[in-house]
Amino acid sequence: METYTMRHMRNPAMSPMMGYVNIPVIGNLNVNLLQTNMSLSNYLYPVKDKNGKDKLGLFLHPDVSSKEFLSNIGNREHIGFDATATVLGFGFYTKRDKFWSFDLNVRSNFGFGLPKDLFAFFKDLEVGVGKTYSLSNLNLAGRAYVEAAFGHARDINENIRVGVKIKPLIGIADAQFKFDDVTLFSDKEIVRFSAKASGSVLGNFVQFVDSAGIVQDITTADDFATNDLLGGFGAAIDLGVTWNLDNILENTLGVLVPFSLKGFTASFGITDIGFIRYKNAERVTFDKTISWEGVLIQKDENNDIVYNLDKFTDQFENIENDFRKDGDASRARGLRTTTNLGLEYSFLNNKMSAGLLWSAHYGLPRVFNEWTLSYNLRPTNWFALTLSSSVAHGFFRSAGWAINLTPKYGFALFLGMDYVPLFWTPEFDDLKLIPGRGLPIYSTNINLNFGMSIPLGGNRYHKFPSRKEQKRIAREAAVTDDTAH
């Protein structure tokens, strides 16, 4: 979306059409939830209540077989969460094509992996099959940091535009935990849990207070002065390039092609290449076995399974005493890098376009890939509308939309959402999410984006000349022809 002021966040070469000043804090808010296979359709099933009426029940319901449920679950489910808030930001042009930007952002991301055996354990608990489950693939990771991004973009020639961002970083906290050996044993009257895990906490947001290596207490940021929350420092870089493919082969390589690529634009951007080194890093290990005897499993009035967890959860009250400190030192941690590769075809004098975007989000704890198709409508320089659909997460099972209003003066507004559910469960009285709807059954991801800014003047840059610019070029060409004759 060319009129979107923060489009350079995905690719620093993709400058907006005009300069801007962000409204503090609400200038750019982005929340992104990425999942692999955790749509509600895998966890909700049609069942009967005690009166024989249709209802939706969880996979734990006795009418849902273990085989049916587990056939819809991957060997390892992943969830990733990102959030970005721009506290301060602005961008401006010098000359026609040189764009400069600055953003101060607060960012966080979190991810965890859940092994298939964890879901099998809860499903089989009612039966009491006397089975052992391995949860060794269970892990989690998260971080929070502040970045200051200094960006610049310019044309190399009429076809190629490049951009770069240099980003000093301040780390707040970074934590990673991996369960190396985790087993669950369940029978009708007993559940036994044993785990060996290791992890690290970087920064001063959380500290483990120990005595002879045994953790006595876990303290949080409330116990520290504000300046102690600056846990580490680092740097990152964003790189980007866009190609106007019209005549690029002829102009760049001298290769003649028998077809026209007019209107096609390709782009590639890679963001967050960098790391943060924390001055305080604490490694801990965990080794504990918990037995939960006298399991109470019963059915409520709706025939749903109810578990008594009191005796089990009581054993976690002083769980910090089961951690052991395993040394501390400074340590560096890489960021979650993202690549974006796009292709757009513009037509009707750039009033409309169709696009394809591939995005890959690396790390925490795995790579998430996305393929997105989009249709873009921009009848004027101050209004743009985008409709999209994600291919990787169920083609046309969800849709995305975005609206951008960018007047020359006043306030610019951007509002967008990806993965809007297109399929819903039947409307049951006890499962209404919104009036007239049930629950979204196929949606796995959620993305929300909101921003407000103040435009700085009129249109300063566009890959296609404006009508006024076209008339000026035509007049200059006419004068040149007259002079030649």
Side-chain angles (χ1 to χ4, degrees), residues 31 128 175 261 265 277-278 314 400-401 414-415 476:
V31 177
L261 294 175
T265 302
R277 177 170 290 278
Y278 291 84
D314 288 345
W401 59 270
F414 178 85
L415 183 62
E476 293 179 353

Side-chain angles (χ1 to χ4, degrees), residues 111-128:
F112 59 90
L114 301 175
K116 186 174 185 176
D117 265 13
L118 179 64
F119 301 95
F121 162 74
F122 283 107
K123 180 58 185 171
D124 295 340
L125 188 58
E126 172 207 2
V127 182

Side-chain angles (χ1 to χ4, degrees), residues 319-389:
I319 193 172
E320 65 270 9
N321 300 143
D322 297 293
F323 285 95
R324 300 290 184 270
K325 288 196 67 172
D326 188 24
D328 50 37
S330 63
R331 179 173 298 185
R333 190 86 82 196
L335 301 184
R336 182 175 184 175
T337 303
T338 299
T339 57
N340 293 294
L341 179 63
L343 180 66
E344 182 181 17
Y345 172 64
S346 301
F347 50 96
L348 294 181
N349 196 28
N350 203 35
K351 301 300 182 184
M352 296 183 185
S353 71
L356 175 64
L357 174 68
W358 168 71
S359 298
H361 310 270
Y362 299 93
L364 289 177
R366 57 153 286 173
V367 178
F368 290 92
N369 290 282
E370 294 180 280
W371 289 91
T372 303
L373 292 171
S374 67
Y375 164 77
N376 309 288
L377 173 66
R378 36 183 178 255
T380 69
N381 288 338
W382 61 268
F383 174 79
L385 170 68
T386 292
L387 300 176
S388 64
S389 181

